[in-house]
Each structure stands twice: as C-alpha cells, then as structure tokens.
Amino acid sequence: MYDLVDIKHIIAKIIENRGIEYTEDDTLLNIDSLQFISMVIELEEILDITISDDYLVLDSFSSFTNIENMITDIL
C-alpha cells in the first residue's frame, strides 16, 4: 500500500513528465485532453487502481491537492 508521501511523489512525477506546470497554490495550468487521459492511465497503472467515471472530470484533476484527494479516496 502507498503512504501519502509516495502518492505525492507519484503524482508530481506524472504531472512533470507531461510538461504540466502547477503553481504554488497547486492549480494546474495548460492541461489538455491528451495530458488528462495519459495522466489517468498512468495513475491507474502505477497505483493498480481503477479511476471510476465519477472522477473522470477535469475538476478532479484541477489541482495537485484534488488529484491527491481523489487517489486517497480510491485507495
């Protein structure tokens, strides 16, 4: 199982690998549909989870904190 530090590190790596910038208040910037879908797929693969349709809205991915909260809810 992953702890919160692991989850934060995984999310940060996935965001940075896609060239997505985020500000100090954790708001993601410049996210397009391909980045969104590839983030979902990689999160599912790395964490061995399934992100339900309820979470597949941009708002769930609008900030680092929202992604972290979503993953914590799923786990």
Side-chain angles (χ1 to χ4, degrees), residues 53-64:
D53 291 346
D54 296 336
Y55 291 112
L56 294 179
V57 292
L58 194 54
D59 189 50
S60 294
F61 290 82
S62 64
S63 73
F64 190 98

Side-chain angles (χ1 to χ4, degrees), residues 2-73:
Y2 297 95
D3 65 18
L4 191 54
V5 173
D6 293 334
I7 292 170
K8 286 181 180 205
H9 178 72
I10 290 167
I11 294 168
K13 183 177 178 184
I14 290 171
I15 288 172
E16 290 167 4
N17 286 346
R18 290 190 172 48
I20 301 168
E21 298 175 23
Y22 55 100
T23 62
E24 302 225 354
D25 68 355
D26 292 330
T27 301
L28 298 180
L29 304 173
N30 300 324
I31 186 169
D32 63 31
S33 58
L34 292 176
Q35 291 168 322
F36 175 77
I37 296 300
S38 65
M39 278 184 11
V40 169
I41 291 168
E42 190 166 356
L43 284 167
E44 289 181 326
E45 289 175 353
I46 290 174
L47 298 171
D48 194 30
I49 59 172
T50 299
I51 298 174
S52 70
D53 291 346
D54 296 336
Y55 291 112
L56 294 179
V57 292
L58 194 54
D59 189 50
S60 294
F61 290 82
S62 64
S63 73
F64 190 98
T65 303
N66 286 358
I67 297 170
E68 180 183 328
N69 291 337
M70 174 194 59
I71 296 300
T72 303
D73 287 346

